Amino acid sequence: MSAPWDLVGTPLHRLHTLHRDAMAAYSLDPRPDSLFGGQCPREVLRSGRYVALDAGGGEDLDGAGVGDGERPQDAVTVVTAALAQSRVLRVAGSAGAGKSTALQKLLADWASGVRLTRFAFLFPLPLGELGSGTGQGGSGTGERSLADLLSQQHPHLSSTSMDLVFQKPQALLFVLDGLDQDQDQAPPCSDPNQPSPLPGAAPPCSDPNQPAPLSALVSGLLRGTLLPGASVLVTCRPPASLEPLSESEGGHVEVQGLSQEGRGAYLRLFFPDPREAAQVLEHMEETLGFCSLARLPGFCWTLCSVYREARAAGRALPKTLTHVFAQATASLFQRHAVGAEPAAALLTGLGKMAAGAVLSGAGSCSREEVAAFGLPPPQASAPLRDFLRPRSCSFLSPELAQFLLAVAYHRGCWDRGGLPDLLELAAGKADLLELFLAGLCDPSQRAPLEGAVGKFDSDRALELTAWLKEMTQEAVQSYHKERHLRAFRLLQQRQDAALAVAAVGPSARLGLSYGGLSVQDSAALSYMATCCGELEQLNLYCTKNLSEEVARRLLPAIIVAKKIILTQSSLCPGSYAPLTAGIQRGAVRELDLSYCPMGDRGAQSLCAGLVGSALQILRVPCCRLTEVSCGYLASALCSSQLHLLDLRGNDIKDAGLVQLSQSLRSPQCQLQELGLQMCKLTGMSMEALSSALCSGSSVLRSVDLRDNDLKDHGLACLCTALRDPHCPLQALCVMDCDLTDACCADLADSLQTAGRALTELDLSVNELGDAGVMQLIRTFRAADCAPQKLRLTRCELGGQTFRELAALLRTPGSRLKELEVGLNQVGDAGATHLWGALRDPACTLQHLDVEMVDLTDGCVAELCAAVRSSGLKSLVLKNNQLTDDVVPALVAMAKDSRTLRELNLQYNDFSEDVFELMDACGKIRY
């Protein structure tokens, strides 16, 4: 292999070869394997257990990472690409996400000449160990030069040889592992008010041979004052920042741990039998795959170890995080043959240490504090090394520390107040503490630990259970989604279905929107839905990018929901399969996908899953569907129980309606209501619709065609259907369809010929005029075919038509119950005909809308007398010219009326002086 930077024949060539061979055997984290800490990075590679880790780039990566919606790449590949663009690169990730393992792989690849060949030397520096004076090759926490530090860490390089290495800083890459674990001058865990120092607390160093504090060396490398041109790669946890680093020269990569496929590959390393591996993997994904911890290789090591032990012993696999940690802790005591009494003492000391580390936010303790907690030196205690990092005196993971703190509380070892005090101190510092506290209330989950250290304090479990029930009851009566989800997560960890049902109770507001759920919250909501047995509605309003995994976690909730709301949401392609699987298997009767930009591809996936389902109502308005989707919908109509289909606002055009009409002719089609508003239809497609209605097989009772360009010809086709005795249509809306008075004669004739009485007829926003509408009304009277609901809003009507309407209302046996005639400028003179009709005992009108017809105060006396003697339930008078003077009369009328439930007076000429008077009547809206 040729050396980089033309080193062949130079003194650096031998040093490069020597260093490369040394790095092939170097270990970034030379600790022993641990049940909670997993394998050390080098052992992971040596044993063949390395599984590619996911990573994504930050905004400053300039394309080296991945963008939103793209599949994450292998962390080593992303880091390699990012280093080609950034002199300083931050590699962030949660504890246990695999940052050090990824860097160990990067180091091994460099040593074998596979990656980063432009660097002649890679210098790994474990900051956590160096800060505590325990790094490889040396000790001591005093000042030292960079040359001395590197020589101590890498003894194969002398201080003299370092001068040669430093001559080409552009060929150097410093790997600073554990930036946030630097213990140099770190405060003790008992002092929560003193923050940890950031790199750069000391002035940056500029001379590689000048002794300086470790923080000054780190700061100099980051700022570029020390060995200008040298590249730096640092690892840290997400909250850490590089204060001395300017945003312009830094890159960022986020190590995200194992993907679902990665977890499967990792698990198969523990369970070589494919059948057993498949069973264990299914259990893991079902019970814990939703947890963010499940992405961490460190946690997966713990999980797989616990699973393997349980399978070997014939025990059931744990279902919760709490049970996993309890089983792992008990297993450690058993492996080290620790008796009950010393195990209890060790657990007590660890609980005290966890309280200090977690509640202070420091994450680690000094050796003096460890001794004060009654613990032996970690280096001298094999059991303790399975919980702590001996060199830094910190827990192997933040989650382990939180679990041990929860155990301490349940064992009665917490002496700093009650539960409220603990929760207040832990707020914002321990995101899993509440889960562990709730889980340990379950006797079966704490049983493994009680078998190892003795019984826990039962009063604590009772106290926590009572708190959980009360907290849940308060949460689910609120409208705050986060409060609901917090309670659901804790109840899921508690694993007591009876408690969950009792805590939620009948007054829970489970219908509020749970849009934008995380994978973990989706699982918690599904747990609650399963406990309750049914949901009136599953409201996922405004969910952005509903993923396959979230949809899969919601499957149990979908199965027990009667109605699913996904309005204004966006669905990823993979989410349709779990969604429709739940609809097919469950009790879902209504699916609302309004304003979801699913397009034709989404409609294809949706319709394929509706075959054979019991879904009755499908709302897909404004979903960017075209005539292509109508082919899929037409097939679904003949193989499902759909009763209502709302397609408004989609560009299906005439070709789409023709396809749907073919299905309407099928005896298998059960569709009764069809919404086709604003679908860019013309009269050309009405012939196909009319033919379907006359087929004798159609059960379509209501069709809404508003805001389409049907014109009179289109309505004429529908009139043909209305004449046919086989036509089942009862409600017809042709609002704003560019109709004229010429269509009224045909419509009147069709209704008279068939002797048909529609339940609802909407002709609003068409220029029908008096002549056309009067002909229609006279037909209603003569043939006794008046509809129950008649809408004639803004139809260019005058007083003559209002006179005819009044006569229709006075006709004995008139079916007309609702009449809307707003936006026709008839004034008081036209409206007086209606007031007279209301006083007639034959009038059965219940709803009247006379919005914006130019009413004045002059009509109010007659109006009030008419309403008092009528059976009217709702009256709309908004947008007229009524003033303060008539408000007392209107209020008195509303109060006096035995039947009136609502009086709408909005947008009249009222002043604030009469608002209080109108407020006194609950029937009035203004």
Side-chain angles (χ1 to χ4, degrees):
M1 179 183 65
S2 62
W5 289 81
D6 298 325
L7 298 180
V8 177
T10 70
L12 280 178
H13 185 200
R14 185 183 63 81
L15 294 176
H16 163 76
T17 304
L18 186 65
H19 186 63
R20 186 195 66 207
D21 294 342
M23 289 302 96
Y26 184 87
S27 180
L28 272 173
D29 186 8
R31 55 176 171 77
D33 294 352
S34 165
L35 185 56
F36 283 116
Q39 291 179 297
C40 74
R42 185 169 181 272
E43 184 60 24
V44 170
L45 299 183
R46 192 197 65 78
S47 63
R49 291 183 184 271
Y50 178 77
V51 176
L53 303 168
D54 282 353
E59 294 178 353
D60 48 4
L61 204 54
D62 296 330
V66 294
D68 292 340
E70 297 179 36
R71 186 174 182 80
Q73 302 177 43
D74 171 45
V76 177
T77 302
V78 174
V79 170
T80 302
L83 280 170
Q85 301 185 34
S86 302
R87 185 188 70 83
V88 178
L89 180 67
R90 181 179 67 173
V91 178
S94 304
K99 301 182 297 295
S100 296
T101 302
L103 294 192
Q104 185 77 54
K105 178 72 165 64
L106 194 70
L107 187 62
D109 287 350
W110 174 82
S112 61
V114 175
R115 298 180 191 272
L116 302 178
T117 55
R118 71 186 183 92
F119 295 110
F121 293 90
L122 263 67
F123 291 119
L125 293 172
L127 294 183
E129 297 175 8
L130 293 173
S132 60
T134 58
Q136 299 178 48
S139 61
T141 58
E143 296 185 355
R144 48 197 159 177
S145 68
L146 180 62
D148 289 339
L149 176 61
L150 293 176
S151 296
Q152 291 170 358
Q153 286 293 299
H154 308 289
H156 57 279
L157 299 176
S158 65
S159 298
T160 304
S161 62
M162 292 310 305
D163 290 335
L164 289 173
V165 172
F166 291 157
Q167 289 178 7
K168 289 185 177 291
Q170 294 84 356
L172 307 182
L173 172 61
F174 290 90
V175 180
L176 310 182
D177 191 27
L179 181 70
D180 52 334
Q181 298 174 29
D182 183 357
Q183 298 299 305
D184 191 18
Q185 304 176 8
C189 66
S190 57
D191 185 359
N193 298 315
Q194 184 179 354
S196 299
L198 288 170
C205 179
S206 58
D207 184 350
N209 293 303
Q210 175 187 346
L214 178 61
S215 59
L217 299 178
V218 172
S219 181
L221 289 171
L222 292 175
R223 291 179 182 272
T225 60
L226 184 58
L227 297 177
S231 296
V232 184
L233 188 157
V234 297
T235 71
C236 59
R237 294 177 188 173
S241 62
L242 304 184
E243 193 176 74
L245 176 63
S246 67
E247 294 183 3
S248 61
E249 63 176 336
H252 171 217
V253 170
E254 182 84 17
V255 177
Q256 300 162 350
L258 295 168
S259 64
Q260 184 176 354
E261 294 79 5
R263 290 198 295 272
Y266 193 91
L267 185 141
R268 285 188 287 273
L269 296 173
F270 281 79
F271 299 95
D273 179 2
R275 184 176 179 182
E276 183 181 27
Q279 293 173 347
V280 175
L281 179 62
E282 182 180 4
H283 175 84
M284 180 179 77
E285 290 299 327
E286 182 67 27
T287 59
L288 293 169
F290 54 81
C291 300
S292 56
L293 282 182
R295 291 186 63 92
L296 309 183
F299 176 73
C300 285
W301 170 275
T302 304
L303 192 59
C304 290
S305 301
V306 169
Y307 281 169
R308 188 165 56 184
E309 262 190 30
R311 297 281 291 191
R315 297 192 303 265
L317 301 182
K319 295 182 179 180
T320 68
L321 286 178
T322 305
H323 202 179
V324 170
F325 276 82
Q327 189 62 63
T329 304
S331 296
L332 284 178
F333 290 143
Q334 185 177 3
R335 288 184 187 183
H336 294 289
V338 182
E341 192 170 327
L346 187 62
L347 211 51
T348 299
L350 286 169
K352 293 178 180 179
M353 181 177 173
V358 172
L359 302 180
S360 71
S364 61
C365 296
S366 67
R367 289 179 175 79
E368 292 75 16
E369 287 175 318
V370 171
F373 294 140
L375 296 171
Q379 296 89 336
S381 171
L384 201 55
R385 289 198 298 271
D386 275 322
F387 293 95
L388 305 177
R389 298 180 185 274
R391 294 171 176 170
S392 59
C393 293
S394 61
F395 285 97
L396 290 172
S397 73
E399 297 77 26
L400 175 58
Q402 294 176 49
F403 172 74
L404 292 171
L405 176 54
V407 170
Y409 184 84
H410 270 275
R411 294 182 63 234
C413 299
W414 168 262
D415 57 2
R416 295 166 63 179
L419 179 63
D421 302 290
L422 174 58
L423 296 178
E424 182 179 355
L425 288 170
K429 303 171 185 174
D431 56 336
L432 295 179
L433 178 61
E434 283 187 349
L435 292 179
F436 289 135
L437 287 169
L440 288 170
C441 291
D442 180 10
S444 65
Q445 294 188 60
R446 64 174 184 263
L449 262 183
E450 287 185 322
V453 300
K455 291 292 184 181
F456 287 11
D457 187 339
S458 59
D459 290 340
R460 290 288 172 93
L462 293 173
E463 174 198 21
L464 270 160
T465 300
W467 167 80
L468 177 55
K469 182 176 181 180
E470 181 180 356
M471 184 272 289
T472 301
Q473 290 172 337
E474 293 176 357
V476 297
Q477 291 174 18
S478 76
Y479 290 98
H480 299 286
K481 177 181 75 172
E482 290 307 320
R483 292 184 64 188
H484 284 228
L485 296 176
R486 175 195 178 200
F488 297 167
R489 289 191 295 265
L490 297 182
L491 287 168
Q492 182 189 29
Q493 196 71 198
R494 177 63 176 81
Q495 290 288 298
D496 186 336
L499 173 65
V501 173
V504 169
S507 61
R509 293 190 171 94
L510 297 183
L512 60 76
S513 173
Y514 295 116
L517 293 176
S518 67
V519 176
Q520 183 170 2
D521 289 334
S522 301
L525 177 58
S526 283
Y527 171 79
M528 288 303 302
T530 303
C531 291
C532 294
E534 68 174 25
L535 284 179
E536 282 300 317
Q537 68 177 32
L538 176 59
N539 190 342
L540 302 172
Y541 168 79
C542 212
T543 294
K544 301 305 178 186
N545 297 319
L546 179 67
S547 67
E548 178 181 1
E549 188 171 10
V550 169
R552 187 162 46 82
R553 296 296 173 190
L554 285 171
L555 182 58
I558 293 171
I559 289 173
V560 300
K562 296 180 181 178
K563 178 179 179 180
I564 299 174
I565 300 174
L566 278 162
T567 307
Q568 294 187 27
S569 300
S570 54
L571 285 67
C572 295
S575 64
Y576 288 97
L579 176 62
T580 55
I583 291 173
Q584 287 183 330
R585 293 166 52 188
V588 183
R589 295 296 179 265
E590 180 173 354
L591 175 61
D592 190 344
L593 292 164
S594 304
Y595 306 101
C596 293
M598 66 170 66
D600 294 329
R601 286 189 60 188
Q604 181 181 17
S605 300
L606 176 66
C607 292
L610 294 182
V611 175
S613 76
L615 190 71
Q616 296 180 358
I617 299 174
L618 176 61
R619 302 188 188 277
V620 285
C622 303
C623 289
R624 301 182 185 176
L625 307 183
T626 71
E627 61 267 28
V628 174
S629 294
C630 291
Y632 310 132
L633 288 165
S635 177
L637 287 175
C638 296
S639 56
S640 68
Q641 299 181 32
L642 279 179
H643 290 178
L644 184 152
L645 176 60
D646 183 356
L647 280 168
R648 61 192 156 92
N650 291 293
D651 295 347
I652 67 169
K653 301 179 182 175
D654 292 330
L657 180 53
V658 169
Q659 294 182 75
L660 293 174
S661 297
Q662 292 173 354
S663 290
L664 294 174
R665 302 170 64 92
S666 171
Q668 283 73 42
C669 178
Q670 302 181 36
L671 195 68
Q672 298 177 15
E673 296 183 48
L674 180 59
L676 296 168
Q677 309 94 306
M678 298 180 292
C679 286
K680 295 189 176 180
L681 304 175
T682 72
M684 295 178 62
S685 56
M686 292 304 103
E687 186 174 348
L689 177 59
S690 176
S691 176
L693 290 170
C694 298
S695 66
S697 299
S698 174
V699 293
L700 189 65
R701 288 170 169 74
S702 173
V703 60
D704 193 333
L705 292 160
R706 77 183 68 185
D707 294 307
N708 287 293
D709 193 23
L710 304 186
K711 294 187 166 54
D712 294 342
H713 168 69
L715 185 59
C717 293
L718 294 174
C719 288
T720 301
L722 291 174
R723 290 186 181 93
D724 193 296
H726 296 107
C727 177
L729 202 62
Q730 296 179 2
L732 175 63
C733 176
V734 285
M735 173 182 175
D736 197 10
C737 287
D738 201 16
L739 306 179
T740 69
D741 60 342
C743 73
C744 293
D746 200 10
L747 180 58
D749 179 70
S750 66
L751 294 174
Q752 186 174 19
T753 300
R756 173 187 301 279
L758 294 174
T759 58
E760 184 174 348
L761 178 60
D762 190 345
L763 295 166
S764 300
V765 197
N766 288 293
E767 295 183 5
L768 304 181
D770 283 328
V773 174
M774 287 171 61
Q775 182 179 7
L776 195 58
I777 295 172
R778 288 167 184 163
T779 300
F780 290 160
R781 292 176 62 193
D784 191 22
C785 58
Q788 295 179 17
K789 301 176 183 179
L790 179 61
R791 297 186 177 92
L792 295 166
T793 302
R794 215 192 80 182
C795 284
E796 309 296 329
L797 306 180
Q800 290 179 304
T801 301
F802 274 61
R803 184 185 298 113
E804 289 294 334
L805 285 168
L808 175 63
L809 290 171
R810 288 192 180 97
T811 303
S814 172
R815 298 183 180 85
L816 194 57
K817 304 296 182 185
E818 297 184 15
L819 176 62
E820 296 184 7
V821 288
L823 280 79
N824 292 291
Q825 312 302 315
V826 298
D828 294 344
T832 189
H833 300 297
L834 300 180
W835 311 150
L838 288 175
R839 290 194 297 270
D840 194 300
C843 177
T844 58
L845 198 67
Q846 297 179 0
H847 168 76
L848 176 61
D849 185 338
V850 285
E851 176 186 0
M852 200 180 291
V853 297
D854 289 342
L855 299 180
T856 69
D857 291 354
C859 75
V860 171
E862 185 182 7
L863 163 66
C864 290
V867 173
R868 282 190 175 94
S869 60
S870 74
L872 210 61
K873 295 180 179 179
S874 171
L875 176 60
V876 179
L877 297 171
K878 65 181 181 180
N879 275 309
N880 283 290
Q881 301 168 27
L882 307 179
T883 69
D884 292 359
D885 294 340
V886 297
V887 169
L890 290 169
V891 170
M893 176 267 290
K895 290 182 176 179
D896 293 344
S897 173
R898 293 175 289 102
T899 59
L900 193 68
R901 297 173 183 172
E902 182 177 345
L903 175 60
N904 192 327
L905 297 173
Q906 292 175 309
Y907 312 119
N908 278 280
D909 296 336
F910 301 140
S911 70
E912 294 182 2
D913 297 340
V914 295
F915 286 179
E916 186 175 349
L917 180 59
M918 289 189 286
D919 283 335
C921 180
K923 301 177 181 180
I924 295 179
R925 294 176 60 193
Y926 65 90

